[in-house]
DNA sequence: AGTGATACTGAGATTCGTTCTCAACCAGTG
DNA sequence: CACTGGTTGAGAACGAATCTCAGTATCACT
């Protein structure tokens, strides 16, 4: 990967990068901020946001938009990978799955696009939340996330 | 609170649904609001947001989170389909392509998740923006024309 | 008609994530 | 030492989306 030579390695940036590298989950910027403050209490949130986008734009981190409209998440695992997102607890686990190369070529051919990449997330229930599906209490460590209402109804006109 | 079995087809909801059905792009809530106001000037944005999520939760529209951190987009085409998003102009075109069923089963098996669905967006340059790529107005994304996974540019002092 | 129950609306306030502004703060260079 | 340019941090500002709540519309039953 790109080396850090072209970056000014300030203590704040170092702290952010270390927090991100130590994270096994996929923390949001706010979570990174919170963790960085434990070792660098004087850091400002603007610096964390700035550093995260710097890391992303230089290929040292990935920004994940898991599609639920929530905050962006950051991933120090820069190898191309996709995620499975739990509708219950919001956890996102890494997927190391084979991507059919022919599929992207086919899409490019049929759409006329010059495809440069793709984002793919699976959604479902993680094993923990499947076990606790009848229990309204949160799974271990779960940050009360997305209440997914899949109720169906019918619009009926009376006029 | 609201029992979805008791839904009324009010003029406001009618107007939102018609705007969405008439849209060939994938408008954001703000764009839907703007268009609805042309025929229903008294409508409030809260009603538009409420109606859109109502349409989504009752299966009459899809909410798209195209992953660039921008606003959600809405789609009256409720058939399962994916999108190709242009890094140049932001346009999102529908893709009608088959995703191998075996892939989802494999993901489910390996992750332990109970997979209920997936979100997939391709990114790249649409034909129009490819033609105008000689114009150095803006080339925010990677300029690589071939299949390249999330090419990251060198760090440039971001404005 | 009237009455009450319930759903819906719209204006504004509020929340949340993120970016911007700007004075102060280093780190180099001469 | 002063100069210069990148960096920081506090708070303001921003855009998207939701919430609050009083007022309105529509229903069921008389
Ligand atoms: Zn879960
Ligand atoms: Zn990951
Ligand atoms: Zn384009
Ligand atoms: Zn579509």
């Amino acid at each position: 990967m790109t080396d850090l030579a072209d970056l000014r390695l300030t203590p704040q940036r170092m702290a952010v990068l270390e927090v991100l590298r130590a994270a096994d989950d996929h923390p949001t910027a706010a979570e990174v901020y919170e963790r960085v403050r434990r070792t660098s209490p004087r850091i400002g949130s603007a610096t964390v946001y700035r550093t995260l986008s710097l890391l992303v734009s230089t290929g040292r981190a990935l920004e994940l938009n898991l599609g639920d409209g929530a905050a962006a998440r950051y991933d120090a695992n820069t190898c191309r990978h996709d995620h499975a997102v739990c509708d219950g607890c919001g956890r996102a686990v890494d997927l190391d799955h084979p991507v059919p190369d022919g599929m992207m070529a086919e899409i490019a051919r049929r759409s006329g696009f010059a495809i440069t990449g793709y984002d793919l997330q699976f959604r479902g229930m993680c094993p923990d939340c499947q076990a606790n599906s009848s229990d309204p209490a949160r799974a271990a460590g779960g940050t009360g996330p997305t209440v997914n209402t899949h109720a169906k109804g019918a619009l009926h006109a009376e006029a």
Side-chain angles (χ1 to χ4, degrees), chain A:
Chain A
M1 301 300 173
T2 330
D3 66 339
L4 297 168
D6 46 348
L7 268 190
R8 211 148 125 185
L9 207 41
T10 66
Q12 291 93 337
R13 289 173 181 176
M14 203 65 180
V16 170
L17 186 53
E18 273 175 17
V19 161
L20 205 57
R21 289 223 170 110
D24 56 333
D25 52 352
H26 296 85
T28 65
E31 287 163 346
V32 171
Y33 176 44
E34 173 201 341
R35 294 175 199 179
V36 168
R37 278 218 281 188
R38 296 209 273 263
T39 58
S40 308
R42 299 273 319 149
I43 202 171
S45 66
T47 300
V48 172
Y49 277 97
R50 274 188 303 241
T51 302
L52 285 172
S53 69
L54 185 66
L55 295 176
V56 168
S57 71
T58 57
R60 282 173 199 89
L62 292 180
E63 183 181 285
L64 310 178
N65 291 285
L66 265 11
D68 46 1
R73 295 164 171 273
Y74 294 88
D75 194 338
N77 174 12
T78 55
C79 295
R80 178 78 189 78
H81 66 285
D82 303 306
H83 297 89
V85 184
C86 178
D87 287 331
C89 61
R91 172 165 36 172
V93 311
D94 286 350
L95 294 179
D96 183 10
H97 83 100
V99 178
D101 280 352
M103 195 161 88
M104 272 181 46
E106 175 74 2
I107 296 291
R109 189 179 64 72
R110 291 215 294 231
S111 63
F113 271 55
I115 303 290
T116 58
Y118 63 94
D119 289 322
L120 173 59
Q121 308 98 37
F122 292 86
R123 0 205 105 257
M125 279 286 186
C126 74
D128 287 359
C129 288
Q130 288 177 58
N132 299 13
S133 61
S134 55
D135 185 359
R138 300 283 138 229
T143 40
T146 321
V147 179
N148 201 351
T149 312
H150 269 269
K152 303 283 181 181
L155 291 175
H156 46 75
E158 258 75 25

